[in-house]
Amino acid sequence: MAHDALLSELHSLRDQVTGVMESAVATVDGLLVVADTDGAQPEVVSALAAATLGLGKRTGHEVGMGELREVVIRCRGGYIVVYAVGQVALLAVLADEGLDVTRLHIESRPAVERLGALLTKEHSAN
């Protein structure tokens, strides 16, 4: 099942990157697809991540920086990172202050590609 494969990708990201606490995959309009969360409300994270992604895309376009790859937000208690998964989805990652940001970027790029392929496959099957 695609759901299990998507969730496996999220678990792998948590296991491979120090500081990753929670993550979710959502559509670009904020609908939750799958989540690996313990404390955060995944539907709320999905909606806010979609708004963040939209703002990031628009800002990147307006200043001529090209296609958006990710938006990184640093808060007192940690990080929120939103990755574009193709044109139709997003990956939201919540992490603590100990996040290895470089490692996250290295591991997330192939993960985003795999998530995109899984979502495309699932969409084609329906």
Side-chain angles (χ1 to χ4, degrees), residues 15-40:
D15 293 343
Q16 293 173 352
V17 182
T18 301
V20 171
M21 301 182 320
E22 305 183 58
S23 58
V25 174
T27 62
V28 292
D29 54 356
L31 299 176
L32 178 66
V33 175
V34 65
D36 174 25
T37 59
D38 291 329

Side-chain angles (χ1 to χ4, degrees), residues 44-94:
V44 173
V45 170
S46 296
L48 292 173
T52 301
L53 183 73
L55 270 171
K57 283 182 175 183
R58 182 69 181 165
T59 302
H61 174 75
E62 286 298 320
V63 300
M65 293 285 201
E67 188 175 350
L68 178 78
R69 290 190 348 196
E70 72 261 345
V71 176
V72 179
I73 302 169
R74 185 169 183 200
C75 303
R76 180 174 293 181
Y79 296 82
I80 303 136
V81 186
V82 181
Y83 293 93
V85 179
Q87 299 296 315
V88 297
L90 63 87
L91 167 64
V93 177
L94 306 180

